[in-house]
Amino acid sequence: MELGPGSYDFDDLATGAWFHTAWCRVTQDAVARFSALTGIPVEGAAPTLLVLSLVEGAKQSGPVQITAELLHGWRVDPDTPVQPGTQVRGRYEVT
């Protein structure tokens, strides 16, 4: 069941409930700032940690808000490089 805009507490969630974050663009500026802040040299594709951070930020500011304390795991395809200019979003599902 897709969750619509709103605020959800633990009792409002059921297994199978899900939502997408808003789309966000991976910019060259974000890649450069990530590299400068972390000291990790970046050439070409955005680091996975940067992409996950952008998606988490989109979740925090999106129309679906989860007020319960949740732990979540990430499923990411590390073999798919994310180039600057690409739009990404996350999908969160209650399991």
Side-chain angles (χ1 to χ4, degrees):
M1 168 185 83
E2 183 175 7
L3 297 174
S7 180
Y8 297 88
D9 197 3
F10 183 80
D11 293 332
D12 301 321
L13 302 172
T15 300
W18 63 273
F19 68 96
H20 280 119
T21 67
W23 288 98
C24 55
R25 185 173 304 278
V26 178
T27 65
Q28 185 61 50
D29 183 59
V31 173
R33 288 174 185 240
F34 177 88
S35 181
L37 286 170
T38 63
I40 299 170
V42 177
E43 294 182 21
T48 302
L49 185 55
L50 171 60
V51 175
L52 293 175
S53 297
L54 292 170
V55 168
E56 182 66 17
K59 178 178 75 88
Q60 296 298 326
S61 61
V64 174
Q65 293 296 307
I66 307 297
T67 59
E69 286 284 327
L70 298 177
L71 298 175
H72 58 272
W74 295 99
R75 272 192 299 177
V76 178
D77 183 356
D79 296 327
T80 304
V82 177
Q83 300 298 328
T86 303
Q87 289 195 42
V88 295
R89 71 175 176 173
R91 183 179 193 271
Y92 288 82
E93 182 174 345
V94 178
T95 58

